[in-house]
Amino acid sequence: MDTNAKPIANPSVVLREEFDDCAVLFDPDTGEGYAVNPTGVFCWKRFDGRHTLAEITAELRAACEDAPAEAEQNVQEFSEELAGKGLIGFEVQ
Amino acid sequence: MKVMSTPRSLELAITNRCNLRCSYCYHFGSADDVDRDLPTAEWLQFFAELKECAVLDVTLAGGEPFLREDLRELVAGIVANRMRFSFLSNGTLITDELAAFLRNTGRCQGVQVSIDGEAPAVHDAARGRGSFDRAIAGLKALQRNGLPALVRVTIHKHNVHHLAKIARLLLEEYELPSFGTNAASYLGLCRLNANDLQLNAAERSLAMETLLELDRKYPGRIQATAGPLAEARMWLEMERARQTNAPATSGQGCLASCGGVFNKMAVRADGVMTPCGQLPHIELGRINRDSLRDVWQHHPELQRLRDRQAIPLTEFAYCRGCEYVAWCRGNCPALAYTLTGDDANPSPDACLKRFLEDGGRLPSER
Ligand code: SF4
Ligand code: SF4
């Protein structure tokens, strides 16, 4: 996926942060939930159609010292997975 | 146990009114029976707070929720605030037009309709003349419009001998995937009519035996979280544990049966927040005045109900020496309250020791 792509959250989807280390993305139209970890929550909050994947990865690296080397790939895979479930789209340039 | 930042679900009594007066109604004759309904704007304001709290779904109850004249506006408010919804209804007011409207929102998880008999005489005995035909018409409207119809059969003295016929009607004739069961419980109006309605030990034994038999005939299609079928399953497990001296699993031996206070809350028709629709006397605050998040996280009464699950059953004189004490979970706090005056007791209603002392029989296992 293009690292300049700008993911945008499906406005119907609910982010529910249940505990410190556990959250769920809930699609009220399908009733399906998708568990996300704190890194996923960090990304989700930046899926606003203004941040590129590259920028989100850079912010993630800045925010957590022990971000793994493959963070960029993880962010890409995460957004691809959410896009496949209809939970995000991409801002058209 | 860790507590979530906000409840996942709420049960909302959107009206105090009902077109029926069922003799075992849990609503009327309890603290849930208040003198007014909230205006539309109050509910819509609260739905916006539910969105902010990331509540996932609401159950609309009453009274009879389909009596709300502004129902469509309320449903639109729920949808706009990204929630799903379901109803607890007597079924008598459901038309094709209403069912189609609910289906078209794409967010309705289902409508629970009460059907207590296979024929008018049986159903109407506790719910009033004419209610069976109208409830069946409502059920068919739901089915025609492709909405999940979740039928609930409340078991009492007047239908306990009809369970096989009721199952045949619902599962064969109406081809429902499943239905749920419970029993007329010592709540609300049922407290005034208990002798005429509630099952005695012999009738309870019969209901358990029959429901397990029907469960074998219709595998997985009869459900229960309370009432004779749930008790049969729970008590047989306790009896097996006693015979094999099985190690206790999490929560067994304590007042741990109620998990509701970890996931959900309720609101009465007058806007008062309560821990559960069955504990309407515990007032936690008022919507649009008190913060839901704050009440959920900090109210001492909710905390007390959550801490209840650490109370060992051996603290109660009646339970001490009971051969099931290591595997019992103490049962529903709402019934403990109505039967003993204190929710921090085990409920005598689903006490296996008492059931056996009263001459009850555990069903045979096959
Ligand atoms: S049980 Fe339900 S239908 Fe019957 S009177 Fe009570 S609220 Fe109305
Ligand atoms: S006396 Fe009843 S409530 Fe107490 S432990 Fe025994 S079965 Fe459970």
Side-chain angles (χ1 to χ4, degrees), chain B residues 46-75:
Chain B
F46 185 56
F47 296 157
E49 185 181 358
L50 297 187
K51 175 185 176 186
E52 192 268 316
C53 288
V55 169
L56 303 182
D57 52 73
V58 290
T59 301
L60 304 179
E64 171 51 44
F66 291 126
L67 276 175
R68 273 298 291 218
E69 295 79 3
D70 57 356
L71 186 85
R72 286 162 200 246
E73 229 179 307
L74 296 182
V75 166

PDB file of all heavy atoms in Angstrom, chain B residues 46-75:
ATOM      1  N   PHE B  46     -29.756  12.078  25.988  1.00  0.00           N
ATOM      2  CA  PHE B  46     -29.055  10.954  26.629  1.00  0.00           C
ATOM      3  C   PHE B  46     -28.381  10.054  25.581  1.00  0.00           C
ATOM      4  O   PHE B  46     -27.279   9.563  25.797  1.00  0.00           O
ATOM      5  CB  PHE B  46     -30.055  10.155  27.475  1.00  0.00           C
ATOM      6  CG  PHE B  46     -29.433   9.051  28.277  1.00  0.00           C
ATOM      7  CD1 PHE B  46     -28.399   9.314  29.175  1.00  0.00           C
ATOM      8  CD2 PHE B  46     -29.880   7.742  28.154  1.00  0.00           C
ATOM      9  CE1 PHE B  46     -27.825   8.292  29.934  1.00  0.00           C
ATOM     10  CE2 PHE B  46     -29.319   6.715  28.909  1.00  0.00           C
ATOM     11  CZ  PHE B  46     -28.286   6.993  29.796  1.00  0.00           C
ATOM     12  N   PHE B  47     -29.027   9.845  24.435  1.00  0.00           N
ATOM     13  CA  PHE B  47     -28.411   9.005  23.390  1.00  0.00           C
ATOM     14  C   PHE B  47     -27.070   9.602  22.949  1.00  0.00           C
ATOM     15  O   PHE B  47     -26.133   8.860  22.637  1.00  0.00           O
ATOM     16  CB  PHE B  47     -29.338   8.852  22.177  1.00  0.00           C
ATOM     17  CG  PHE B  47     -30.630   8.134  22.471  1.00  0.00           C
ATOM     18  CD1 PHE B  47     -31.746   8.310  21.661  1.00  0.00           C
ATOM     19  CD2 PHE B  47     -30.739   7.276  23.561  1.00  0.00           C
ATOM     20  CE1 PHE B  47     -32.936   7.653  21.927  1.00  0.00           C
ATOM     21  CE2 PHE B  47     -31.938   6.612  23.839  1.00  0.00           C
ATOM     22  CZ  PHE B  47     -33.043   6.810  23.021  1.00  0.00           C
ATOM     23  N   ALA B  48     -26.998  10.918  22.911  1.00  0.00           N
ATOM     24  CA  ALA B  48     -25.724  11.549  22.531  1.00  0.00           C
ATOM     25  C   ALA B  48     -24.653  11.228  23.583  1.00  0.00           C
ATOM     26  O   ALA B  48     -23.484  10.991  23.246  1.00  0.00           O
ATOM     27  CB  ALA B  48     -25.916  13.053  22.375  1.00  0.00           C
ATOM     28  N   GLU B  49     -25.046  11.185  24.837  1.00  0.00           N
ATOM     29  CA  GLU B  49     -24.081  10.813  25.885  1.00  0.00           C
ATOM     30  C   GLU B  49     -23.679   9.339  25.741  1.00  0.00           C
ATOM     31  O   GLU B  49     -22.517   8.975  25.945  1.00  0.00           O
ATOM     32  CB  GLU B  49     -24.677  11.063  27.278  1.00  0.00           C
ATOM     33  CG  GLU B  49     -23.651  10.802  28.386  1.00  0.00           C
ATOM     34  CD  GLU B  49     -24.207  11.007  29.799  1.00  0.00           C
ATOM     35  OE1 GLU B  49     -25.378  11.389  29.946  1.00  0.00           O
ATOM     36  OE2 GLU B  49     -23.428  10.759  30.748  1.00  0.00           O
ATOM     37  N   LEU B  50     -24.626   8.501  25.352  1.00  0.00           N
ATOM     38  CA  LEU B  50     -24.305   7.078  25.159  1.00  0.00           C
ATOM     39  C   LEU B  50     -23.275   6.925  24.025  1.00  0.00           C
ATOM     40  O   LEU B  50     -22.382   6.083  24.094  1.00  0.00           O
ATOM     41  CB  LEU B  50     -25.562   6.271  24.848  1.00  0.00           C
ATOM     42  CG  LEU B  50     -26.630   6.234  25.944  1.00  0.00           C
ATOM     43  CD1 LEU B  50     -27.747   5.261  25.564  1.00  0.00           C
ATOM     44  CD2 LEU B  50     -26.041   5.816  27.281  1.00  0.00           C
ATOM     45  N   LYS B  51     -23.416   7.736  22.998  1.00  0.00           N
ATOM     46  CA  LYS B  51     -22.424   7.691  21.912  1.00  0.00           C
ATOM     47  C   LYS B  51     -21.049   8.088  22.452  1.00  0.00           C
ATOM     48  O   LYS B  51     -20.047   7.423  22.183  1.00  0.00           O
ATOM     49  CB  LYS B  51     -22.833   8.647  20.793  1.00  0.00           C
ATOM     50  CG  LYS B  51     -21.801   8.746  19.687  1.00  0.00           C
ATOM     51  CD  LYS B  51     -22.200   9.796  18.675  1.00  0.00           C
ATOM     52  CE  LYS B  51     -21.121   9.973  17.615  1.00  0.00           C
ATOM     53  NZ  LYS B  51     -21.435  11.088  16.710  1.00  0.00           N
ATOM     54  N   GLU B  52     -21.033   9.126  23.234  1.00  0.00           N
ATOM     55  CA  GLU B  52     -19.759   9.610  23.784  1.00  0.00           C
ATOM     56  C   GLU B  52     -19.137   8.531  24.688  1.00  0.00           C
ATOM     57  O   GLU B  52     -17.916   8.404  24.769  1.00  0.00           O
ATOM     58  CB  GLU B  52     -20.043  10.921  24.539  1.00  0.00           C
ATOM     59  CG  GLU B  52     -18.834  11.723  24.945  1.00  0.00           C
ATOM     60  CD  GLU B  52     -18.398  11.330  26.341  1.00  0.00           C
ATOM     61  OE1 GLU B  52     -19.260  11.196  27.226  1.00  0.00           O
ATOM     62  OE2 GLU B  52     -17.184  11.135  26.518  1.00  0.00           O
ATOM     63  N   CYS B  53     -19.982   7.725  25.326  1.00  0.00           N
ATOM     64  CA  CYS B  53     -19.502   6.633  26.194  1.00  0.00           C
ATOM     65  C   CYS B  53     -19.252   5.343  25.399  1.00  0.00           C
ATOM     66  O   CYS B  53     -18.942   4.309  25.997  1.00  0.00           O
ATOM     67  CB  CYS B  53     -20.519   6.344  27.288  1.00  0.00           C
ATOM     68  SG  CYS B  53     -20.595   7.630  28.531  1.00  0.00           S
ATOM     69  N   ALA B  54     -19.424   5.385  24.077  1.00  0.00           N
ATOM     70  CA  ALA B  54     -19.219   4.219  23.215  1.00  0.00           C
ATOM     71  C   ALA B  54     -20.062   3.017  23.650  1.00  0.00           C
ATOM     72  O   ALA B  54     -19.626   1.867  23.614  1.00  0.00           O
ATOM     73  CB  ALA B  54     -17.740   3.849  23.136  1.00  0.00           C
ATOM     74  N   VAL B  55     -21.287   3.300  24.090  1.00  0.00           N
ATOM     75  CA  VAL B  55     -22.233   2.211  24.376  1.00  0.00           C
ATOM     76  C   VAL B  55     -22.616   1.570  23.047  1.00  0.00           C
ATOM     77  O   VAL B  55     -22.839   2.265  22.055  1.00  0.00           O
ATOM     78  CB  VAL B  55     -23.474   2.762  25.126  1.00  0.00           C
ATOM     79  CG1 VAL B  55     -24.587   1.736  25.191  1.00  0.00           C
ATOM     80  CG2 VAL B  55     -23.064   3.218  26.524  1.00  0.00           C
ATOM     81  N   LEU B  56     -22.668   0.244  23.016  1.00  0.00           N
ATOM     82  CA  LEU B  56     -22.862  -0.446  21.740  1.00  0.00           C
ATOM     83  C   LEU B  56     -24.333  -0.693  21.399  1.00  0.00           C
ATOM     84  O   LEU B  56     -24.711  -0.652  20.244  1.00  0.00           O
ATOM     85  CB  LEU B  56     -22.122  -1.786  21.756  1.00  0.00           C
ATOM     86  CG  LEU B  56     -20.622  -1.716  22.048  1.00  0.00           C
ATOM     87  CD1 LEU B  56     -20.010  -3.098  21.989  1.00  0.00           C
ATOM     88  CD2 LEU B  56     -19.925  -0.785  21.064  1.00  0.00           C
ATOM     89  N   ASP B  57     -25.127  -0.991  22.421  1.00  0.00           N
ATOM     90  CA  ASP B  57     -26.527  -1.272  22.101  1.00  0.00           C
ATOM     91  C   ASP B  57     -27.433  -0.974  23.280  1.00  0.00           C
ATOM     92  O   ASP B  57     -27.000  -0.958  24.429  1.00  0.00           O
ATOM     93  CB  ASP B  57     -26.713  -2.719  21.640  1.00  0.00           C
ATOM     94  CG  ASP B  57     -26.132  -3.705  22.599  1.00  0.00           C
ATOM     95  OD1 ASP B  57     -26.716  -3.895  23.662  1.00  0.00           O
ATOM     96  OD2 ASP B  57     -25.074  -4.288  22.288  1.00  0.00           O
ATOM     97  N   VAL B  58     -28.689  -0.718  22.938  1.00  0.00           N
ATOM     98  CA  VAL B  58     -29.709  -0.466  23.962  1.00  0.00           C
ATOM     99  C   VAL B  58     -30.889  -1.408  23.735  1.00  0.00           C
ATOM    100  O   VAL B  58     -31.198  -1.763  22.598  1.00  0.00           O
ATOM    101  CB  VAL B  58     -30.209   0.997  23.942  1.00  0.00           C
ATOM    102  CG1 VAL B  58     -29.134   1.938  24.442  1.00  0.00           C
ATOM    103  CG2 VAL B  58     -30.690   1.429  22.565  1.00  0.00           C
ATOM    104  N   THR B  59     -31.503  -1.804  24.845  1.00  0.00           N
ATOM    105  CA  THR B  59     -32.736  -2.586  24.787  1.00  0.00           C
ATOM    106  C   THR B  59     -33.865  -1.667  25.226  1.00  0.00           C
ATOM    107  O   THR B  59     -33.804  -1.090  26.318  1.00  0.00           O
ATOM    108  CB  THR B  59     -32.643  -3.793  25.746  1.00  0.00           C
ATOM    109  OG1 THR B  59     -31.533  -4.587  25.354  1.00  0.00           O
ATOM    110  CG2 THR B  59     -33.904  -4.638  25.691  1.00  0.00           C
ATOM    111  N   LEU B  60     -34.845  -1.512  24.356  1.00  0.00           N
ATOM    112  CA  LEU B  60     -35.958  -0.617  24.662  1.00  0.00           C
ATOM    113  C   LEU B  60     -37.089  -1.436  25.267  1.00  0.00           C
ATOM    114  O   LEU B  60     -37.573  -2.405  24.664  1.00  0.00           O
ATOM    115  CB  LEU B  60     -36.422   0.101  23.393  1.00  0.00           C
ATOM    116  CG  LEU B  60     -35.297   0.884  22.680  1.00  0.00           C
ATOM    117  CD1 LEU B  60     -35.826   1.546  21.421  1.00  0.00           C
ATOM    118  CD2 LEU B  60     -34.665   1.916  23.603  1.00  0.00           C
ATOM    119  N   ALA B  61     -37.467  -1.046  26.481  1.00  0.00           N
ATOM    120  CA  ALA B  61     -38.451  -1.826  27.220  1.00  0.00           C
ATOM    121  C   ALA B  61     -39.462  -0.871  27.822  1.00  0.00           C
ATOM    122  O   ALA B  61     -39.499   0.318  27.521  1.00  0.00           O
ATOM    123  CB  ALA B  61     -37.739  -2.646  28.287  1.00  0.00           C
ATOM    124  N   GLY B  62     -40.292  -1.390  28.723  1.00  0.00           N
ATOM    125  CA  GLY B  62     -41.293  -0.538  29.344  1.00  0.00           C
ATOM    126  C   GLY B  62     -41.746  -1.164  30.647  1.00  0.00           C
ATOM    127  O   GLY B  62     -40.924  -1.746  31.360  1.00  0.00           O
ATOM    128  N   GLY B  63     -43.047  -1.183  30.832  1.00  0.00           N
ATOM    129  CA  GLY B  63     -44.187  -1.088  29.954  1.00  0.00           C
ATOM    130  C   GLY B  63     -43.984  -1.673  28.550  1.00  0.00           C
ATOM    131  O   GLY B  63     -43.174  -2.551  28.355  1.00  0.00           O
ATOM    132  N   GLU B  64     -44.812  -1.165  27.662  1.00  0.00           N
ATOM    133  CA  GLU B  64     -44.780  -1.643  26.285  1.00  0.00           C
ATOM    134  C   GLU B  64     -44.137  -0.555  25.420  1.00  0.00           C
ATOM    135  O   GLU B  64     -44.744   0.503  25.186  1.00  0.00           O
ATOM    136  CB  GLU B  64     -46.211  -1.970  25.821  1.00  0.00           C
ATOM    137  CG  GLU B  64     -46.341  -2.265  24.354  1.00  0.00           C
ATOM    138  CD  GLU B  64     -45.347  -3.306  23.860  1.00  0.00           C
ATOM    139  OE1 GLU B  64     -45.151  -4.340  24.526  1.00  0.00           O
ATOM    140  OE2 GLU B  64     -44.738  -3.064  22.793  1.00  0.00           O
ATOM    141  N   PRO B  65     -42.919  -0.788  24.934  1.00  0.00           N
ATOM    142  CA  PRO B  65     -42.186   0.276  24.258  1.00  0.00           C
ATOM    143  C   PRO B  65     -42.860   0.782  22.984  1.00  0.00           C
ATOM    144  O   PRO B  65     -42.698   1.947  22.612  1.00  0.00           O
ATOM    145  CB  PRO B  65     -40.829  -0.360  23.944  1.00  0.00           C
ATOM    146  CG  PRO B  65     -41.048  -1.839  24.044  1.00  0.00           C
ATOM    147  CD  PRO B  65     -42.144  -2.026  25.043  1.00  0.00           C
ATOM    148  N   PHE B  66     -43.676  -0.073  22.330  1.00  0.00           N
ATOM    149  CA  PHE B  66     -44.293   0.376  21.077  1.00  0.00           C
ATOM    150  C   PHE B  66     -45.475   1.320  21.321  1.00  0.00           C
ATOM    151  O   PHE B  66     -46.118   1.760  20.368  1.00  0.00           O
ATOM    152  CB  PHE B  66     -44.699  -0.827  20.223  1.00  0.00           C
ATOM    153  CG  PHE B  66     -43.497  -1.576  19.694  1.00  0.00           C
ATOM    154  CD1 PHE B  66     -43.354  -2.944  19.907  1.00  0.00           C
ATOM    155  CD2 PHE B  66     -42.484  -0.907  19.021  1.00  0.00           C
ATOM    156  CE1 PHE B  66     -42.241  -3.627  19.437  1.00  0.00           C
ATOM    157  CE2 PHE B  66     -41.364  -1.583  18.556  1.00  0.00           C
ATOM    158  CZ  PHE B  66     -41.240  -2.944  18.765  1.00  0.00           C
ATOM    159  N   LEU B  67     -45.738   1.633  22.584  1.00  0.00           N
ATOM    160  CA  LEU B  67     -46.744   2.663  22.866  1.00  0.00           C
ATOM    161  C   LEU B  67     -46.190   4.073  22.717  1.00  0.00           C
ATOM    162  O   LEU B  67     -46.960   5.033  22.696  1.00  0.00           O
ATOM    163  CB  LEU B  67     -47.284   2.492  24.292  1.00  0.00           C
ATOM    164  CG  LEU B  67     -48.419   1.487  24.487  1.00  0.00           C
ATOM    165  CD1 LEU B  67     -48.735   1.365  25.968  1.00  0.00           C
ATOM    166  CD2 LEU B  67     -49.675   1.900  23.721  1.00  0.00           C
ATOM    167  N   ARG B  68     -44.862   4.210  22.632  1.00  0.00           N
ATOM    168  CA  ARG B  68     -44.297   5.565  22.506  1.00  0.00           C
ATOM    169  C   ARG B  68     -44.716   6.168  21.169  1.00  0.00           C
ATOM    170  O   ARG B  68     -44.385   5.631  20.110  1.00  0.00           O
ATOM    171  CB  ARG B  68     -42.765   5.521  22.525  1.00  0.00           C
ATOM    172  CG  ARG B  68     -42.046   5.554  23.835  1.00  0.00           C
ATOM    173  CD  ARG B  68     -42.178   6.704  24.720  1.00  0.00           C
ATOM    174  NE  ARG B  68     -41.614   7.975  24.386  1.00  0.00           N
ATOM    175  CZ  ARG B  68     -41.038   8.797  25.266  1.00  0.00           C
ATOM    176  NH1 ARG B  68     -40.894   8.449  26.523  1.00  0.00           N
ATOM    177  NH2 ARG B  68     -40.607   9.970  24.891  1.00  0.00           N
ATOM    178  N   GLU B  69     -45.377   7.285  21.205  1.00  0.00           N
ATOM    179  CA  GLU B  69     -45.844   7.934  19.978  1.00  0.00           C
ATOM    180  C   GLU B  69     -44.668   8.429  19.143  1.00  0.00           C
ATOM    181  O   GLU B  69     -44.757   8.544  17.921  1.00  0.00           O
ATOM    182  CB  GLU B  69     -46.765   9.115  20.303  1.00  0.00           C
ATOM    183  CG  GLU B  69     -48.086   8.738  20.982  1.00  0.00           C
ATOM    184  CD  GLU B  69     -47.963   8.452  22.478  1.00  0.00           C
ATOM    185  OE1 GLU B  69     -46.852   8.586  23.031  1.00  0.00           O
ATOM    186  OE2 GLU B  69     -48.986   8.061  23.080  1.00  0.00           O
ATOM    187  N   ASP B  70     -43.557   8.754  19.822  1.00  0.00           N
ATOM    188  CA  ASP B  70     -42.385   9.302  19.120  1.00  0.00           C
ATOM    189  C   ASP B  70     -41.333   8.219  18.853  1.00  0.00           C
ATOM    190  O   ASP B  70     -40.146   8.519  18.736  1.00  0.00           O
ATOM    191  CB  ASP B  70     -41.764  10.418  19.963  1.00  0.00           C
ATOM    192  CG  ASP B  70     -41.393   9.918  21.363  1.00  0.00           C
ATOM    193  OD1 ASP B  70     -41.689   8.737  21.677  1.00  0.00           O
ATOM    194  OD2 ASP B  70     -40.809  10.685  22.130  1.00  0.00           O
ATOM    195  N   LEU B  71     -41.789   6.970  18.755  1.00  0.00           N
ATOM    196  CA  LEU B  71     -40.838   5.863  18.648  1.00  0.00           C
ATOM    197  C   LEU B  71     -39.847   6.043  17.494  1.00  0.00           C
ATOM    198  O   LEU B  71     -38.656   5.789  17.619  1.00  0.00           O
ATOM    199  CB  LEU B  71     -41.587   4.539  18.477  1.00  0.00           C
ATOM    200  CG  LEU B  71     -40.643   3.347  18.515  1.00  0.00           C
ATOM    201  CD1 LEU B  71     -40.391   2.934  19.956  1.00  0.00           C
ATOM    202  CD2 LEU B  71     -41.171   2.185  17.727  1.00  0.00           C
ATOM    203  N   ARG B  72     -40.359   6.499  16.351  1.00  0.00           N
ATOM    204  CA  ARG B  72     -39.475   6.613  15.177  1.00  0.00           C
ATOM    205  C   ARG B  72     -38.392   7.658  15.408  1.00  0.00           C
ATOM    206  O   ARG B  72     -37.256   7.492  14.980  1.00  0.00           O
ATOM    207  CB  ARG B  72     -40.292   6.946  13.928  1.00  0.00           C
ATOM    208  CG  ARG B  72     -41.054   5.710  13.472  1.00  0.00           C
ATOM    209  CD  ARG B  72     -42.191   6.030  12.535  1.00  0.00           C
ATOM    210  NE  ARG B  72     -43.107   4.907  12.546  1.00  0.00           N
ATOM    211  CZ  ARG B  72     -43.339   4.118  11.506  1.00  0.00           C
ATOM    212  NH1 ARG B  72     -42.789   4.375  10.351  1.00  0.00           N
ATOM    213  NH2 ARG B  72     -44.157   3.098  11.605  1.00  0.00           N
ATOM    214  N   GLU B  73     -38.763   8.710  16.107  1.00  0.00           N
ATOM    215  CA  GLU B  73     -37.772   9.736  16.419  1.00  0.00           C
ATOM    216  C   GLU B  73     -36.711   9.177  17.374  1.00  0.00           C
ATOM    217  O   GLU B  73     -35.515   9.448  17.225  1.00  0.00           O
ATOM    218  CB  GLU B  73     -38.492  10.903  17.098  1.00  0.00           C
ATOM    219  CG  GLU B  73     -38.178  12.256  16.528  1.00  0.00           C
ATOM    220  CD  GLU B  73     -38.966  13.320  17.263  1.00  0.00           C
ATOM    221  OE1 GLU B  73     -40.208  13.182  17.370  1.00  0.00           O
ATOM    222  OE2 GLU B  73     -38.331  14.259  17.744  1.00  0.00           O
ATOM    223  N   LEU B  74     -37.152   8.403  18.338  1.00  0.00           N
ATOM    224  CA  LEU B  74     -36.196   7.809  19.284  1.00  0.00           C
ATOM    225  C   LEU B  74     -35.264   6.835  18.556  1.00  0.00           C
ATOM    226  O   LEU B  74     -34.041   6.851  18.766  1.00  0.00           O
ATOM    227  CB  LEU B  74     -36.928   7.080  20.415  1.00  0.00           C
ATOM    228  CG  LEU B  74     -37.797   7.950  21.338  1.00  0.00           C
ATOM    229  CD1 LEU B  74     -38.417   7.096  22.440  1.00  0.00           C
ATOM    230  CD2 LEU B  74     -36.977   9.083  21.949  1.00  0.00           C
ATOM    231  N   VAL B  75     -35.839   6.024  17.678  1.00  0.00           N
ATOM    232  CA  VAL B  75     -35.013   5.063  16.937  1.00  0.00           C
ATOM    233  C   VAL B  75     -34.008   5.814  16.053  1.00  0.00           C
ATOM    234  O   VAL B  75     -32.826   5.450  15.987  1.00  0.00           O
ATOM    235  CB  VAL B  75     -35.907   4.110  16.105  1.00  0.00           C
ATOM    236  CG1 VAL B  75     -35.093   3.346  15.069  1.00  0.00           C
ATOM    237  CG2 VAL B  75     -36.624   3.132  17.030  1.00  0.00           C
TER     238      VAL B  75
END
